[in-house]
Amino acid sequence: YKSTFEKHFDAIFEEKGLESRVLTEFERVVAMSKDSPLAKLDDIKDEDLESLIEIVSEDPSSLPYKPSPAQNETYAPSKAGMIIVNDRAMQLCLMEKMPNAYIRTSPIPPEVLDRYNLTQRTCKDGCEVYRDVLIYRKKYRLSVYDNEMIKRIIEQKCKSLD
C-alpha cells in the first residue's frame, strides 16, 4: 500500500485484531519492453506515457477502499488506453510483445526483466513510497518457517531494489 494510507490501514488492522510488519519499502518504477521508446529515457515523466498503453492489475476506479477525500486521488489512464490484466505473468508477456505498453510496478528482479526482455526506469512524477507488509493475527507467534520466508522475501526484494 501507499505509505500515505498507513493510518487508514493501521486502524483497520487494530479493529480486526491484526498485526502488520513492513517487509520492504519502495518507489514504483515504470517497466517496459527493451524495444519501447521509453527504454531510451533515463527518467520518465507522466507526459512521456501519454501515447502508450498502460497495463494495470485492477480497474483503478473500483478500488475497494477510499481512505479519505484528501487521499482519494483520481486516476487518469494514458490517452492511448489501458489493459486490465490480473495475472502477473500475462502482464510481463504483453509488455514483451508490445513495445507501446508499460506498467507502473514495484521494482522487478533482474532475472525476470531479462527473461521477458524488459527494462525499468524511475518516474519523476508521482514518486510515492509504497510498502509490502505481512499481516497476521495479533496473538500469532511467527514460526521458524515464517521467519525464513520473511528473510527470503526481504533478500529477493533487496536484489530487485539494487
Side-chain angles (χ1 to χ4, degrees):
Y1 61 79
K2 286 184 188 180
S3 60
T4 55
F5 295 161
E6 182 172 21
K7 287 181 183 178
H8 171 74
F9 284 108
D10 283 348
I12 291 174
F13 299 154
E14 183 65 31
E15 175 187 322
K16 304 289 183 186
L18 301 171
E19 289 284 334
S20 67
R21 178 173 171 184
V22 175
L23 299 177
T24 59
E25 292 187 331
F26 59 91
E27 289 183 3
R28 287 194 311 174
V29 296
V30 177
M32 75 290 298
S33 165
K34 288 181 180 177
D35 299 326
S36 170
L38 294 174
K40 296 175 181 70
L41 305 174
D42 290 329
D43 286 311
I44 296 170
K45 297 184 235 37
D46 281 346
E47 63 195 41
D48 299 324
L49 306 173
E50 289 178 354
S51 65
L52 303 173
I53 298 169
E54 183 171 12
I55 298 173
V56 298
S57 58
E58 75 258 335
D59 182 353
S61 66
S62 66
L63 290 175
Y65 62 90
K66 305 269 190 246
S68 74
Q71 294 172 325
N72 183 16
E73 56 198 48
T74 55
Y75 184 86
S78 72
K79 291 179 182 172
M82 173 191 307
I83 300 173
I84 301 169
V85 180
N86 287 318
D87 182 74
R88 182 64 160 186
M90 182 56 69
Q91 292 172 345
L92 297 171
C93 288
L94 283 171
M95 282 190 300
E96 179 181 29
K97 303 294 183 195
M98 296 175 64
N100 63 332
Y102 68 93
I103 187 169
R104 295 174 196 253
T105 184
S106 59
I108 300 171
E111 59 272 14
V112 175
L113 292 170
D114 290 343
R115 179 177 179 185
Y116 291 96
N117 194 38
L118 303 176
T119 188
Q120 59 193 4
R121 300 285 185 270
T122 57
C123 188
K124 290 271 189 202
D125 301 321
C127 292
E128 296 181 77
V129 175
Y130 285 77
R131 293 192 174 116
D132 284 335
V133 297
L134 177 67
I135 304 167
Y136 51 94
R137 290 185 305 278
K138 270 192 178 177
K139 294 181 181 181
Y140 181 75
R141 289 188 44 187
L142 295 175
S143 71
V144 172
Y145 299 111
D146 295 332
N147 285 313
E148 182 63 26
M149 178 197 69
I150 291 167
K151 178 181 160 198
R152 289 180 185 209
I153 289 171
I154 292 170
E155 287 172 357
Q156 186 63 42
K157 204 60 161 173
C158 288
K159 285 182 190 177
S160 300
L161 296 173
D162 288 340

